[in-house]
Amino acid sequence: MIILGIETSCDDTSVALVDAQKSGFKILENIISSQTKIHKKWGGVVPNLAKREHEKNLPLILEEVLKNNKKPDIIAVTYGPGLEPCLWVGVNFAKELAVKLKKPLIPVNHIESHFLANWIESNGKNVKFPAIVLIVSGGHTILVLAKEIGKYKIVGETRDDAAGECFDKVARILGIGYPGGPIISKKAAEFKKRKYNIKLPRPMMYQKNYDFSFSGLKTAVLYDFQSRSPKIRKSQDYIREICFEAQESIIDVLIKKTIRVARDFKVKSIILGGGVVANKNLRNKFKETGKELGLEIVIPSIEYCTDNAVMTAVTAFFNKNKSKNWKTLKANANLKIGK
Ligand code: KG4
Ligand code: ZN
């Protein structure tokens, strides 16, 4: 079955063509057009600019994807959660295409697709249920108990900023660019020796719930930054140290809380997904901790952590029966997963 995936939930326009079989997935095409350059100067995604870019890029990318390939049997589109104007571009485009090609349309939940990104290369071989799923991206920090594919229950969430948002805001405070995650990770890797004795909090880490909060961490970075002289603020030693500390703090909290919930629910594996999981330190620390505790940690390849339409197509494969009523499909910016 050939599935065409369309993903426009944030600032990446992506279209992919996947040959989906029970035995696994073969990627025929995967094109991602990043808008980073456009949003960079604003220090974050500007929804209406993103919408305009999606409108401009989608027809061009689709043409490229279909050029040397078979026509799809199914069309899949992300309809939420995400930035509303951006989601609508994908949904309307997908509906028109479904009418034109006379094929069914499957609505895809973006959070579920970050989870099912783990099926792209390995067909979920190392996943054992029940599992705890941690999705960490620019828009989400959420812990989900998965009994199987399709059976989800939210057990924890951020009460304010998402972890990726925290990376992005910290980078903006430090004036080092956008998106913050990859830049902070690079600066943190260059950090060698403590010089400024920066101390950042680990928000909610020891609280006996499974929720997160990252806005206080961002404020702590702001206060530290403001307390330094203009010369120190610009120095690479300071930037590297504070990036390292901020990254450590985010990773510590994510690991501690995920391990706690995994133990409490006695799950068989921990599954990660979302843009922040592209972070090398986070990946390594999760793997080390998993090994110590005898817990299976399942992580997508770096390229499938950030937004892509391959995961959208793969998710549609597991939701093939959901094409009913697609003609009235609406974007849902606040779409939830499970109960
Ligand atoms: O999943 P994603 O592409 O889009 C959303 O659904 O939000 O995630 C984007 C987020 C951004 O906040 C970005 O800073 C973060 O993922 N990110 C990273 C890294 N690469 C991307 N965060 C930490 N380390 C990275 N290497
Ligand atoms: Zn995403």
Side-chain angles (χ1 to χ4, degrees):
M1 169 183 289
I2 311 280
I3 307 181
L4 180 90
I6 299 174
E7 154 61 42
T8 63
S9 67
C10 191
D11 63 340
D12 289 310
T13 318
S14 179
V15 180
L17 201 67
V18 175
D19 185 353
Q21 308 292 337
K22 261 208 166 120
S23 54
F25 300 92
K26 188 171 164 215
I27 300 167
L28 306 175
E29 283 293 344
N30 175 25
I31 301 184
I32 302 172
S33 167
S34 163
Q35 302 176 6
T36 303
K37 277 200 191 119
I38 290 155
H39 301 288
K40 214 174 195 155
K41 56 176 177 284
W42 308 101
V45 182
V46 184
N48 280 324
L49 282 183
K51 173 187 174 225
R52 202 182 65 191
E53 284 305 300
H54 288 311
E55 280 168 345
K56 198 172 85 190
N57 294 331
L58 259 185
L60 305 175
I61 302 180
L62 179 76
E63 197 184 315
E64 192 62 30
V65 165
L66 293 180
K67 205 162 66 185
N68 300 315
N69 284 299
K70 285 191 212 153
K71 294 266 179 295
D73 303 303
I74 286 184
I75 295 155
V77 67
T78 307
Y79 76 112
L83 300 172
E84 177 137 1
C86 300
L87 291 165
W88 270 114
V89 178
V91 167
N92 286 333
F93 187 84
K95 278 189 193 170
E96 277 173 32
L97 189 65
V99 170
K100 197 166 130 199
L101 300 180
K102 297 193 179 63
K103 297 293 177 192
L105 177 65
I106 310 282
V108 167
N109 180 315
H110 188 64
I111 299 179
E112 185 179 29
S113 68
H114 273 304
F115 160 54
L116 292 175
N118 286 288
W119 269 253
I120 296 173
E121 291 161 291
S122 60
N123 203 18
K125 227 177 24 244
N126 33 0
V127 175
K128 292 187 195 91
F129 289 110
I132 276 294
V133 184
L134 171 70
I135 303 299
V136 253
S137 67
H140 308 280
T141 302
I142 183 167
L143 279 165
V144 176
L145 176 66
K147 283 197 174 157
E148 57 186 73
I149 294 178
K151 286 216 167 126
Y152 311 119
K153 186 173 186 269
I154 297 175
V155 287
E157 257 180 298
T158 182
R159 296 189 181 170
D160 40 59
D161 294 349
E165 193 179 352
C166 183
F167 272 109
D168 296 337
K169 286 180 175 170
V170 165
R172 198 185 314 172
I173 292 167
L174 303 176
I176 54 173
Y178 173 85
I183 302 166
I184 288 179
S185 148
K186 184 164 171 279
K187 297 282 177 198
E190 291 164 3
F191 167 72
K192 285 199 182 75
K193 211 167 135 236
R194 252 176 245 290
K195 190 167 161 190
Y196 296 100
N197 198 27
I198 300 164
K199 292 245 173 337
L200 296 176
R202 267 55 177 166
M204 295 181 72
M205 189 158 87
Y206 294 105
Q207 288 185 20
K208 300 243 175 293
N209 53 48
Y210 311 124
D211 284 344
F212 301 96
S213 163
F214 290 104
S215 84
L217 174 60
K218 163 202 70 192
T219 311
V221 169
L222 178 67
Y223 287 162
D224 190 279
F225 185 72
Q226 285 173 338
S227 73
R228 308 287 172 174
S229 70
K231 193 166 162 230
I232 291 179
R233 286 183 201 174
K234 285 203 189 81
S235 91
Q236 280 305 308
D237 282 348
Y238 173 71
I239 296 287
R240 286 174 185 142
E241 187 169 333
I242 198 155
C243 284
F244 176 80
E245 292 298 335
Q247 178 176 279
E248 286 293 288
S249 166
I250 294 172
I251 296 174
D252 281 354
V253 177
L254 289 173
I255 293 191
K256 193 81 165 196
K257 289 238 141 161
T258 307
I259 297 294
R260 174 177 296 145
V261 70
R263 285 184 146 169
D264 288 356
F265 285 89
K266 299 189 173 59
V267 298
K268 295 192 177 136
S269 51
I270 290 175
I271 306 174
L272 308 183
V276 176
V277 182
N279 187 286
K280 291 204 176 107
N281 269 35
L282 180 141
R283 302 168 76 88
N284 292 338
K285 284 198 169 177
F286 256 106
K287 280 184 199 153
E288 280 165 22
T289 314
K291 216 177 237 169
E292 276 166 29
L293 301 173
L295 273 164
E296 183 82 45
I297 309 283
V298 185
I299 310 181
S301 290
I302 289 181
E303 63 184 304
Y304 301 121
C305 289
T306 44
D307 290 345
N308 65 86
V310 177
M311 66 185 192
T312 316
V314 167
T315 304
F317 182 72
F318 293 103
N319 289 279
K320 287 193 291 276
N321 55 344
K322 291 203 180 138
S323 77
K324 253 192 347 215
N325 306 330
W326 63 262
K327 286 186 179 143
T328 54
L329 179 67
K330 290 188 173 74
N332 182 352
N334 301 313
L335 185 68
K336 296 274 179 260
I337 185 170
K339 280 170 231 141

